[in-house]
Each structure stands twice: as structure tokens, then as C-alpha cells.
Amino acid sequence: MKSLVITSSPHVRSIERLTDVMYDVVIAMIPAVLVSIYFFGLQSLLITVTAVVGCMAFEALFLKIAGKTNIRATVLDGSAIVTGILIALNLPPTSPIWMTLIGSLIAIIVAKQVFGGLGYNIFNPALVARVFLLISFPVQMTRWVNPSFFKGDAITAATPLGMLKTDGLATVSKTFSHLDFFLGTIGGSLGEVSAVALLIGGLYLLMRKVISWEIPVSMLGSLFIFTGIFWMLDKARYADPIFHILTGGALLGAFFMATDMVTSPITRKGMLIFGAGIGVLTGLIRLFGGYPEGVSFAILIMNSLVPLIDKYTEVKKFGLVKVKA
Amino acid sequence: MKLLTFKRGGIHPPEHKSLAEHKTIERPELPETIAINLCQHLGKPAKAIVKAKDEIAVGQLIGEADGFISSHVHASVAGVVAKIEKRMTAIGTLDETILITVDKDKTREQLDTLNKPKIQTIDALSPTDLLGLIKSAGVVGEGGATFPTHVKLSPPPDKKIDTIIINSAECEPYLTADHQLMIEKPIEILKGIQILQKALGVETVYIGIEANKPDAIRLFIEKLQDPSFRGIQVVSLRTKYPQGGEKQLIHAILKRQVPSGKLPFDVGALVQNVGTVFAVYEAVYCSKPLIDRVTTITGFVNKPGNYLLPVGIGFEQVISNVAGGFKDPERVREVINGGPMMGKAIRQLDVSVMKGTSGILVLSETQVCYVDEGPCIRCGRCVDACPMGLMPTNIAQDAQFKSTDTLAASMDCIECGSCSYVCPTHRQLVHWIRIGKTVFRNANRSSK
């Protein structure tokens, strides 16, 4: 007999691993990726592959330079793949390859590894990349095209939210119907267009218990209520709340980015506050801010508040009751 | 019947009970020698009162309780004391141990008389008499914590106990010893409960049994038709780990929360493991000290089952002669004293069975996983799993960085292991929390 091994209890573990969690997220994003390929063609596939390969390569490179040993395991743990796909879903279909690679570099090195790698990053890496690119390359980041599957070639077009900001609600209502938003026959980032694909992925994550309901529900709910109030006040000026949920990055953010475990609160109560904050901030930026879309900024702002939220929403300990005489 | 359970947290690990479930309790062949540790209980070790070459009988007192929280230790066999030396125990401590060369014939003969009931009723005995008998029999909690039972049964006079709970949850995976004991000795257990009722002057008793033991639930409901067992009720509990945790059990059955830092008697409850109740019965009716106990030997062995083991029998002997040996010695990785969630892995096989050995679990290379700890990804699964409402990952981090001012929460941890079990990056959360407790205690001691 070989010598016995001594470990600390418990001696059995759940079969669920980190990689299972990460690959579940990858699976959940497949519908959105497929829809983007269907709408925007092979360019979309190229962007996705570039972003994923870029993320994995930059992670391997960083770990090598930093002198880490378990490079292979870390690169293949699935988190870099998730970040890569998320970056792609956040880019316009016309994104050049070089810009996609810069996005991967920012996400993996600046937003993730510099903070200490998986688990220690404060901000969602994919969103840091998106906002970095949006500020650095505003032209390339806002060059939208209409889904070309029925027209044959791409025509430059505005996103519904962009149109709302520049041309007002009347133009938007003339151009699009709610069904367009739902199916995705609108301009937008790769992963923003089809609400139905995002909902399928989101439901999958909920079913697999990778994410819990608190963040998506409180985020979309507060966005609905916030934009709903203004819509009730002036229906000619403000778009209806359904519009706000179906367009832009609301659904992508609610299911895939705000729910990132590392950068969201750990307690259920904290998740509700976190989601509600994102919803309200998104609404504020969309209705009154300079940018047409605010989900990325809203999530990043709330990311920075997570330690504070966690501190004030600690779960109640068992046994904090008065002693009965 | 409505299933009761504790509210917060809990996990559902695979049970693996079928390996040893419903296997009749067997009494194994006597070994040539046994080694009885003098620290069989929580508290101060007993003092040896025999010396080498002394001839001893079964049930003879060989270690005397030393101090208030301590317990007597008796010989589980007849024979001659070979020597007294410090030895490694099955819980990893180094303690005085009495080695006895066994006289098999004499042991068998004396055990037969010892196992026979000497009295028919306890009517003639006062509560003080009962407590005295339990104390002199060296009964300790058989659930694993091994707290001396007579101390638990003597709460401070200002604490009024109104309810006794018999812990038959047996929520640890793999273990079936309590279950089988309930099936084979229901009347003895109920008589043991009557002893506790009389000793404490308490009428109300709940026997909490997890729903995965329906035959035991049925059997006890049937036996309780007898009007002489007054005040006793069976409650079915949902199968969920750690249902048998003392505080969880009290919450599930009585809806009372034991306050943080307090004990069950602060909410008027007293919990006893079903094995302990059987030992109480034997102590009073048979005048038999706690010298043997039912243990489940299971996992990667050829003959998993439930065995009545004399205290002091060696693990090696138990596994190779009693349980049919390892299935494949080359593939054995861990041998655990207790269950897989809270038991202790042993370093070598030459340790002995103790009063708290509820199970001996052998795990093969495929059943244990050694994965390096990953980073916390803040998924919150440990927070959801913790039955005490703690934030295990935060406490573990505080322990890692020795941040003593926030480690007070670690003292509420019952070390059930639910957090480590669910962690997808295999963080050793309970282990860090245990370290945190020590760090916290040391810091408080030095600041005083």
C-alpha cells in the first residue's frame, strides 16, 4: 500500500468545477454568436475568433512574462474564452482586426492580469475593453451596418438608440417595430441585436444555476420602471420601456456582463442593489447623457461599488436572536 | 408526514449509504492485542490507574476521569496490561494509551454476563442515581464530538431544559451505523430515552430521523404505540446535510435558534445522539460501561457493513480481518475516522477505534480529488451553502491574511464543510476558517 494521504475535511467534493461554470457561459453565448454570423456574415465570425484567440494568447504571454507555472491550465480555464466572446459581442460588425486585438489586450492584461488574474479584477474585462475602444476609436466603434442577410450588402445605418439620440423618437418609430428589436433586424453590436438569442442564453444560464435571477431581474426591472416613468410623462418624447429593454446592450448586459461573478456582489441582497443601480444609471445615461447607450458605463460604475455593497449587505448570521429568559 | 428541516443553506452530497445500509450488526473476532487511548472524549484525558502486568477484566476501570469535563475509560477486553505508552490516536493527537494482551476466552465469557440486563425497570432509581451510573460508565457523545454525557446532562441550575432531541439524522454520507442500531435495538433505545427523561425531569422528546430512513421512522412510530413511552414523538427530517448539526436540528424541530456563542441549553434543548442513548441504556440496565460501539466500515473495502467494535481495536485489524480488507491496496489513498464531510484522515493504520469512531471510511484514488486551490471567483455558492449564515470566502481570506479584527465570525463556524464541498475552484474554505479560529483565539489571548 502506498502511504496514506492526509487532507483536511471534507474529503469529498462536488463534481462542479470552475471550467464547467465557464464553459456553460460559453454555451449560453452560442445562440447570440450564431445570430450575429447569420446577420453580419463571416466578418462576425472573424471578429469572434480573433477576440478569443487574442485573449488566450495575451493571457499566455502575460503569464509567461510574469513567470507563472500553470499557464496551460489558466489559459484553458474558460475565462479567457468567455472574455473573448464577450468582447466580440460588444463590437460593431465592421470592427477591424487590429482594433479587436487591442480590445483583447486591454481586457486581459490591463483589466484582468494586472489586478491579479481571475477572481481579483474589479472591473468586467470585456467592458473595460469596449469602453477603452469607444473612447479611443469613436469612429470605428460607431460604424453600424444593417443586418445584411436579406439585402446582400451592408448599408451603413444607425442603431435604434443612436437614432433616438440624434433624430428623435418619431424617426425611430417610423423605421423599426418592436418585432425588429426582438428578432434582431436592427443595427448594433454583434451581440446586441437579437433579443431572442440573448434570452435563450440567459435562460440557459439560469437553468444551469450559473447565474441567479437577482441581477437580471433587478437591472431590467429598474430600467423598465425608470424609463417607464418618463414615457408616461411625455409619450411623444421618450421611448417606451419595452424599447429600452430590447435595444442596445440591456439584455446582453443583464445576462452576460452584470452577472459576471467576479465583479458582482456575493450576497443576494447585494445583487439586487447592484442590478437596480445598473438599470437606473443606464436609463439616466440613455435619456440625459451624451452617449446614446449607457449599459457599459453603468455596469463599470456599479463594479466599482461592489466592495461597498458587499460590506453593507452581509448575510445575517444564524443565531443572532435574543436569548429568551 | 411533513418533513422538517433547517432553513438556511445546506447541501445534498451523494449519499453512498447503500454500501453498508441494512447490513446486520456483526461482532468481529477478538484481536490479539488492543490499545485503548486515555483521551476518548472532549476535555482532559483520563488518568491511568493500572500498570504493566496487571490482570484486568472486561469493563474494569482503567482510566479515571480527571477534572469536571473528563470521562472514565474502561477495558473492552479481559487480559493483561502489556504496557502504557504515548501513541498516535485516530484523531491525530498523541496520548497515553494502555496496550492490553487479550485473553479471548475470558473476554467472551465476561462479555456475555455484562451484556445481560441486570434490572427490569428504573423505578427504584433516582435521577441522581441515573446520572451516577452514566458517569461511572464513561458514556460520551457517540456522534463524533465525544462530549462527556454526564456533563451534558447536568446543565447549570438556571438553565431549564424543556425538550430532549434524539439525533438520528445521520446526515453524513456513507454512514449507516445509527440507522442499523435503530432497526435492531428500538426498545433499548426507547428505554434509554426514558432514562434521559427521568434524569432531566423532562417529558417532551423528539426523535429526529432523516427521510432517507423510512423503515426506521415506521418502526419507531409502531413501537411508540406502547403507552408506557410517554411524551416521545418521531419527526421526519428532510434529507439534507448538515441536518444532524446540533443547532440545525434544534432549529428544524423546535424553530428555536441557538444564539451565537451559546449552547443548546440556552434555548431549553438538549440533543443526544441515538448511539449515546443506547450506551445510556446499557450503562443503566446492564451496568455495562461504554466499551464497544457500532461503527460503519465502508468505502473501498471488500465487506462494507456495520460492526460492533470494542474500543481500542486497531484500524488495521478492523479493515483487514473484519471488513475483508482493501479492495485494492495499491489504489487506497485515504482512510478516514468518521464520515467524509467531518471525519479526520488518519496518517497510519496503527491507531485504535475510539468512543467517537462512528465510521471508518476508505477512499480510493478515484474517490478523492486533490486539486490545487484556485482563486475565489466570488460565485457566492459557499454563502448559499453555509447553514450558519456566514460568508465563508470572506472568513477564509481574513484567515489567510491574518486580519484578526474581522475573524470573530469564524467562531460561529460549525466546520460542517458545506462551503468547501461546493466551491468550484476547490478552495479549502473550512480549513482556512479553522486556522482563522486559532488566529483569532491567539490574538485575543495576547491582547488580554
Side-chain angles (χ1 to χ4, degrees):
Chain A
M1 195 182 74
K2 287 187 187 165
S3 62
L4 293 173
V5 182
I6 311 185
T7 53
S8 187
S9 68
H11 306 282
V12 287
R13 295 300 191 100
S14 158
I15 50 168
E16 192 191 41
R17 304 261 174 103
L18 170 69
T19 44
D20 300 337
V21 176
M22 290 299 169
Y23 286 110
D24 261 343
V25 180
V26 173
I27 291 170
M29 289 189 291
I30 286 176
V33 171
L34 289 180
V35 165
S36 78
I37 296 171
Y38 180 67
F39 282 166
F40 302 116
L42 285 179
Q43 175 68 14
S44 155
L45 185 66
L46 187 65
I47 293 172
T48 313
V49 171
T50 310
V52 170
V53 173
C55 282
M56 292 169 83
F58 285 125
E59 186 153 75
L61 187 72
F62 184 93
L63 294 172
K64 183 129 187 103
I65 294 169
K68 303 276 164 142
T69 46
N70 48 352
I71 297 177
R72 201 187 148 80
T74 312
V75 172
L76 291 178
D77 68 5
S79 62
I81 301 175
V82 169
T83 304
I85 300 179
L86 275 177
I87 293 173
L89 293 180
N90 272 300
L91 292 178
T94 56
S95 303
I97 298 299
W98 59 264
M99 192 178 82
T100 312
L101 283 175
I102 291 177
S104 305
L105 182 133
I106 295 295
I108 292 298
I109 295 187
V110 176
K112 184 181 170 191
Q113 289 298 343
V114 163
F115 281 90
L118 179 67
Y120 301 102
N121 50 310
I122 298 169
F123 298 103
N124 186 320
L127 284 177
V128 172
R130 176 188 161 117
V131 168
F132 178 88
L133 295 177
L134 187 64
I135 296 168
S136 313
F137 312 108
V139 179
Q140 287 86 344
M141 280 301 284
T142 49
R143 196 187 287 149
W144 311 108
V145 291
N146 256 342
S148 56
F149 70 105
F150 52 88
K151 291 187 183 110
D153 60 333
I155 304 162
T156 314
T159 62
L161 281 169
M163 198 184 279
L164 182 67
K165 198 103 222 168
T166 47
D167 305 326
L169 184 60
T171 324
V172 177
S173 325
K174 259 186 279 168
T175 321
F176 300 111
S177 75
H178 274 33
L179 191 66
D180 286 327
F181 306 141
F182 192 64
L183 295 175
T185 51
I186 50 172
S189 301
L190 295 188
E192 284 179 0
V193 288
S194 171
V196 67
L198 294 170
L199 281 173
I200 292 171
L203 286 179
Y204 176 78
L205 288 182
L206 282 170
M207 252 171 51
R208 299 278 297 165
K209 295 193 176 155
V210 172
I211 62 172
S212 54
W213 61 269
E214 281 89 350
I215 293 176
V217 168
S218 71
M219 172 180 159
L220 296 174
S222 64
L223 179 65
F224 187 91
I225 294 168
F226 184 84
T227 53
I229 291 171
F230 286 94
W231 177 66
M232 301 276 271
L233 291 174
D234 187 351
K235 286 187 185 162
R237 193 163 154 218
Y238 297 106
D240 62 280
I242 305 276
F243 170 91
H244 278 288
I245 283 179
L246 293 179
T247 57
L251 287 171
L252 181 65
F255 288 113
F256 294 99
M257 295 190 297
T259 51
D260 171 30
M261 296 158 176
V262 177
T263 55
S264 62
I266 205 164
T267 61
R268 304 267 164 168
K269 219 198 284 168
M271 289 178 193
L272 287 173
I273 297 171
F274 177 77
I278 295 171
V280 171
L281 284 173
T282 303
L284 268 173
I285 297 171
R286 282 186 181 180
L287 299 190
F288 309 109
Y291 281 96
E293 171 58 315
V295 172
S296 319
F297 295 107
I299 294 177
L300 288 175
I301 291 169
M302 292 309 288
N303 280 165
S304 69
L305 293 179
V306 164
L308 202 64
I309 296 174
D310 269 347
K311 188 177 154 91
Y312 288 102
T313 55
E314 276 205 350
V315 284
K316 197 180 152 219
K317 226 161 56 170
F318 179 91
L320 284 187
V321 286
K322 281 191 191 121
V323 187
K324 279 182 203 122
Chain B
M1 196 189 283
K2 206 177 138 237
L3 296 182
L4 299 180
T5 188
F6 60 101
K7 271 214 196 87
R8 192 200 289 277
I11 54 170
H12 299 274
E15 292 183 26
H16 297 292
K17 298 226 188 221
S18 56
L19 284 172
E21 205 166 25
H22 305 304
K23 299 260 170 78
T24 317
I25 299 170
E26 283 179 47
R27 175 178 274 282
E29 280 289 301
L30 285 165
E32 300 296 326
T33 57
I34 63 160
I36 302 176
N37 309 119
L38 283 172
C39 194
Q40 297 278 350
H41 45 265
L42 201 81
K44 215 169 166 195
K47 270 194 304 214
I49 53 163
V50 289
K51 54 188 189 306
K53 303 210 178 88
D54 278 4
E55 202 164 306
I56 47 170
V58 179
Q60 185 182 325
L61 187 67
I62 54 173
E64 198 170 40
D66 185 15
F68 179 61
I69 299 185
S70 185
S71 184
H72 291 319
V73 176
H74 303 79
S76 55
V77 288
V80 180
V81 176
K83 56 179 166 183
I84 302 176
E85 61 174 19
K86 285 225 176 214
R87 282 193 134 209
M88 176 75 79
T89 68
I91 52 171
T93 54
L94 202 61
D95 275 309
E96 287 288 316
T97 301
I98 299 177
L99 278 77
I100 303 168
T101 313
V102 182
D103 183 331
K104 292 185 185 178
D105 294 328
K106 237 193 215 164
T107 305
R108 260 180 235 120
E109 192 183 304
Q110 291 176 357
L111 259 181
D112 280 344
T113 25
L114 205 53
N115 280 331
K116 283 197 187 81
K118 317 284 182 299
I119 53 170
Q120 292 312 308
T121 69
I122 51 167
D123 293 345
L125 297 166
S126 73
T128 326
D129 296 338
L130 294 172
L131 275 179
L133 283 167
I134 292 168
K135 183 177 179 182
S136 59
V139 179
V140 301
E142 287 190 28
T146 60
F147 192 78
T149 303
H150 67 274
V151 183
K152 205 170 183 179
L153 293 177
S154 323
D158 57 323
K159 307 286 180 188
K160 183 87 192 101
I161 288 171
D162 56 42
T163 313
I164 300 170
I165 293 174
I166 306 302
N167 187 352
S168 319
E170 202 166 45
C171 57
E172 274 269 8
Y174 287 99
L175 303 190
T176 55
D178 287 352
H179 182 186
Q180 195 56 31
L181 183 69
M182 282 188 284
I183 297 295
E184 293 188 25
K185 307 279 183 194
I187 295 298
E188 288 81 354
I189 290 168
L190 289 173
K191 284 182 172 172
I193 292 173
Q194 286 180 320
I195 298 168
L196 296 182
Q197 283 175 309
K198 186 161 182 185
L200 286 164
V202 172
E203 174 97 10
T204 321
V205 179
Y206 293 101
I207 307 175
I209 308 176
E210 264 191 0
N212 60 0
K213 298 177 255 297
D215 51 342
I217 296 173
R218 272 198 306 275
L219 182 69
F220 270 81
I221 290 175
E222 183 199 310
K223 297 292 176 201
L224 284 172
Q225 301 299 317
D226 183 340
S228 63
F229 299 118
R230 273 177 306 113
I232 309 175
Q233 252 181 300
V234 174
V235 286
S236 317
L237 306 166
R238 188 177 298 160
T239 308
K240 177 163 106 172
Y241 181 85
Q243 193 67 263
E246 203 168 49
K247 293 178 176 180
Q248 278 64 40
L249 197 61
I250 295 171
H251 189 226
I253 295 175
L254 300 178
K255 306 276 167 273
R256 298 180 198 165
Q257 284 196 21
V258 179
S260 169
K262 300 280 179 178
L263 292 166
F265 59 56
D266 289 297
V267 292
L270 180 122
V271 181
Q272 286 292 353
N273 167 272
V274 69
T276 318
V277 176
F278 183 69
V280 165
Y281 160 82
E282 288 197 311
V284 172
Y285 279 84
C286 314
S287 304
K288 179 187 168 187
L290 178 47
I291 52 169
D292 48 22
R293 64 155 297 147
V294 183
T295 300
T296 305
I297 308 173
T298 184
F300 201 59
V301 290
N302 284 317
K303 221 177 123 235
N306 307 300
Y307 300 92
L308 185 68
L309 300 180
V311 169
I313 188 170
F315 270 44
E316 182 133 44
Q317 159 88 14
V318 164
I319 291 167
S320 51
N321 297 357
V322 182
F326 295 126
K327 267 189 183 161
D328 178 356
E330 286 307 308
R331 290 176 55 206
V332 170
R333 286 295 174 275
E334 275 192 37
V335 177
I336 292 155
N337 171 29
M341 294 302 294
M342 290 188 74
K344 287 200 166 72
I346 60 165
R347 194 166 79 178
Q348 56 215 40
L349 285 178
D350 64 343
V351 293
S352 342
V353 167
M354 303 173 77
K355 290 178 182 175
T357 305
S358 50
I360 296 174
L361 172 62
V362 180
L363 294 177
S364 73
E365 57 187 5
T366 51
Q367 288 159 311
V368 287
C369 60
Y370 310 115
V371 184
D372 285 339
E373 273 189 300
C376 172
I377 57 165
R378 300 173 38 84
C379 64
R381 280 168 175 67
C382 58
V383 179
D384 285 346
C386 181
M388 295 305 289
L390 304 174
M391 314 240 302
T393 182
N394 290 4
I395 303 176
Q397 251 161 37
D398 292 344
Q400 252 168 313
F401 298 113
K402 301 218 169 13
S403 122
T404 40
D405 45 339
T406 47
L407 273 174
S410 66
M411 302 312 283
D412 281 293
C413 173
I414 58 167
E415 300 179 22
C416 68
S418 299
C419 50
S420 301
Y421 178 84
V422 296
C423 181
T425 58
H426 296 270
R427 288 171 57 71
Q428 298 279 5
L429 293 164
V430 184
H431 186 72
W432 284 115
I433 295 172
R434 278 190 206 113
I435 292 173
K437 286 185 181 180
T438 314
V439 169
F440 181 74
R441 277 196 211 104
N442 289 348
N444 274 22
R445 202 172 298 151
S446 53
S447 67
K448 261 170 206 164

